[in-house]
Amino acid sequence: MNAIFTDERFDPHCIAPDMATELLAQAPWRRFVVLGDDFARGPGDPHEGYGASPWPDRVAAALRSVRPELAYLNLAQPQSTATEVRARQLAKALTFQADLAAVAAGGNDVLSDHFDADATETELARIIGPLREAGVEVVVLAPFGSRRPARQSPEHRDVLRRRLRLLTERTYELALRHGAIHVGLSAHPADADPDIYGSDGRRVDARGHAIAAAAAIRRLGVHLGVNGRPSPR
C-alpha cells in the first residue's frame, strides 16, 4: 500500500530547496523556456501540505537559486496537442533564445479518440529538433500514466495506459536521437499512487507537480555530473 504524505518536506519523492541547489550548482543556463500542454501550465487541484507552484515554476526557482539572473518563459497552453504546441509555441521559444527548454507535450494526443503515435512522434521531433539545432539543451518530460478516472471502463483505462507507455517510449527514443534529456514520469515510483491526482482522477495535482519538479531537477543534476546525497527533511 502506498503511504499518504501530508507535507512535501517529508515526502521522499519531493526535493528540499538545499538539495535542489546542490544538484544544480554547476548549471550554466541563463534562459529557460517551457513548451507544452496542461501538464506544463498549472498545478491542478491543491493538495494540503504542498505548494501551489507547477513544476516548471519550481524548476525555474531552483535554477534561480544558483543563477539569480535566469530569464524564464512558460509558453505552455492547456488542451494543446503536440501539433498545436509546435505551431503556436516553437517560434516564440526560438525567438526567446533560450539555452534550456523543457518540452511536455503529447498527453492530449493520447487522450484523443484518434491517437496516432507516429504522427505525435513526428510533431514532437519537429519541436525538439529545431531547439537542439539552435543549441538549446532540451529536457523532454513524458507524463505520469497509471491512474485513470474510475468512471472509465477497465478496457478504456488499459488502452490509455498502453498509449502512455508508447508515448514514453517514443519520447525516450527522440531524446536519444536528438541528444536531449529524458524524464519518464510513467516509470516513477509515485506513478501508481492515486494521491498525486486531482478530483478528476486524471490531471496531477499540486503533489504531482512537486514530484515532477523533483524528478526533473534530479535528472538535470545527473546530466551535470552531480551525485546528490539525500537531504534531511
Side-chain angles (χ1 to χ4, degrees):
M1 180 178 291
N2 294 305
I4 301 299
F5 297 99
T6 58
D7 192 316
E8 68 177 274
R9 294 175 298 170
F10 307 105
D11 189 331
H13 299 311
C14 297
I15 192 166
D18 61 337
M19 184 62 186
T21 298
E22 180 179 333
L23 289 172
L24 299 176
Q26 303 302 316
W29 306 296
R30 298 175 185 275
R31 300 183 69 81
F32 175 41
V33 68
V34 177
L35 304 86
D37 52 27
D38 315 60
F39 180 46
R41 192 68 212 180
D45 290 352
H47 192 122
E48 185 176 357
Y50 292 77
S53 297
W55 67 260
D57 289 8
R58 290 170 174 267
V59 173
L63 289 167
R64 279 184 174 147
S65 72
V66 297
R67 292 283 184 185
E69 74 280 12
L70 180 85
Y72 165 51
L73 176 65
N74 190 340
L75 296 167
Q77 292 296 323
Q79 305 301 317
S80 296
T81 63
T83 298
E84 290 166 339
V85 171
R86 176 190 56 77
R88 300 173 183 174
Q89 300 174 31
L90 178 59
K92 294 177 183 177
L94 292 169
T95 299
F96 183 66
Q97 296 185 322
D99 50 11
L100 176 67
V103 177
N108 286 314
D109 300 77
V110 165
L111 295 172
S112 168
D113 292 336
H114 308 290
F115 174 59
D116 184 329
D118 292 336
T120 301
E121 179 182 357
T122 296
E123 290 294 350
L124 290 170
R126 294 175 69 189
I127 298 168
I128 299 166
L131 289 167
R132 292 295 292 141
E133 289 167 7
V136 183
E137 193 80 72
V138 177
V139 182
V140 185
L141 283 87
F144 293 105
S146 291
R147 179 74 168 171
R148 298 288 84 180
R151 63 180 175 273
Q152 292 179 344
S153 68
E155 293 79 11
H156 193 190
R157 290 198 296 271
D158 287 343
V159 167
L160 290 174
R161 289 190 185 104
R162 286 196 297 271
R163 289 179 176 185
L164 284 161
R165 283 196 296 270
L166 184 57
L167 178 63
T168 297
E169 292 169 3
R170 296 295 183 94
T171 54
Y172 178 71
E173 292 166 1
L174 282 170
L176 285 179
R177 193 181 312 154
H178 292 279
I181 301 165
H182 188 259
V183 181
L185 295 169
S186 65
H188 194 285
D191 181 49
D193 188 347
D195 199 39
I196 66 171
Y197 293 88
S199 57
D200 68 356
R202 187 176 71 184
R203 306 294 182 190
V204 296
D205 66 6
R207 180 175 181 242
H209 277 267
I211 292 171
I217 290 166
R218 289 187 174 111
R219 183 65 185 85
L220 285 171
V222 170
H223 176 73
L224 292 166
V226 179
N227 293 315
R229 54 177 172 75
S231 179
R233 295 178 176 277

